[in-house]
Amino acid sequence: MRLDKYLSDGGMSRSQARDAIARGRVRVDGVVAKGAGSPLPPGAQVTLDGEPVLPRGPLHLMMHKPQGVVTAREDRRLPTVFGLLPEALRVRDLSPVGRLDRDTTGLLLFTTNGQLAHRLISPRFAVEKSYLARVEGPLLPAHIDAMARGLSLSDFTARPAALTILEEDLGRLVIAEGKYHQVKRMFAALGCPVMSLHRERIGPVTLDLALVPGQFRPLAPEEYSALCALTGLEDT
Ligand code: URA
């Protein structure tokens, strides 16, 4: 597709697109675009004034969620993850895949594929989520066993989970469900309250370390395909 057509599909008129290109505001894969008519290589990353311009149609993003923002579209008091997206994306029908607490950082997915969002958080599909938790330690081998047996919490029993001790007060916990405050509650039940929490992976998709907190990028086609394959959906 031609670059000016791609930009106008994204919401600008053709003449605005040509003007933006002529003024050097548009980059393709990081390089200032030269001609409005130049063909775009498949999967090329286009930015306008440094903000991604994404194609119409289905859309899937990963964000490095920073601390202090809530996983919500709007909030009367607090900044939201949607507030970190440019206007052109906020109006799209994107759903966050599950929620991270206000103080939790790390991988948050967004997708226009509601079925995929649902399956990634449904206990039926048991998709793994991997967290790094800094806790009031020390973490002990007995904690690994307790997590692996499944922990009884006040209102439900958490399924067996895999804890790896990385440092005396730093653990990686992989769970395949996502109840409210689940990770914090599991560590608290072991007498190790969580001081900070970071999600590093959902199923086959790992947070891109090039994203600083607050940044996002579209999922690569192979990341999206892997999520579809895992949840038994056609990769459309
Ligand atoms: N578990 C928690 O306790 N908090 C999160 O944000 C995510 C998982």
Side-chain angles (χ1 to χ4, degrees), residues 99-104 131 175 179-185 197 199:
R99 283 168 190 276
L100 291 177
D101 297 335
R102 180 178 163 194
D103 56 353
T104 301
Y131 293 88
I175 59 174
K179 300 246 170 35
Y180 186 59
H181 290 337
Q182 178 158 346
V183 174
K184 290 177 184 166
R185 292 180 64 195
L197 189 62
R199 181 157 66 193

Side-chain angles (χ1 to χ4, degrees), residues 2-18:
R2 287 168 54 111
L3 180 57
D4 54 353
K5 164 89 168 66
Y6 180 94
L7 288 166
S8 61
D9 281 355
M12 331 174 85
S13 71
R14 275 287 177 108
S15 62
Q16 283 171 330
R18 284 192 209 111

Side-chain angles (χ1 to χ4, degrees), residues 165-201:
I165 300 176
L166 302 172
E167 292 169 21
E168 189 178 67
D169 63 350
L170 180 68
R172 170 175 290 123
L173 186 69
V174 179
I175 59 174
E177 51 191 346
K179 300 246 170 35
Y180 186 59
H181 290 337
Q182 178 158 346
V183 174
K184 290 177 184 166
R185 292 180 64 195
M186 289 172 79
F187 279 105
L190 300 178
C192 300
V194 169
M195 312 306 291
S196 67
L197 189 62
H198 176 86
R199 181 157 66 193
E200 49 181 5
R201 179 173 66 81

Side-chain angles (χ1 to χ4, degrees), residues 186-224:
M186 289 172 79
F187 279 105
L190 300 178
C192 300
V194 169
M195 312 306 291
S196 67
L197 189 62
H198 176 86
R199 181 157 66 193
E200 49 181 5
R201 179 173 66 81
I202 297 178
V205 175
T206 300
L207 179 65
D208 184 339
L209 297 178
L211 295 176
V212 300
Q215 277 188 327
F216 66 92
R217 68 153 169 82
L219 285 188
E222 47 291 1
E223 290 169 328
Y224 179 65

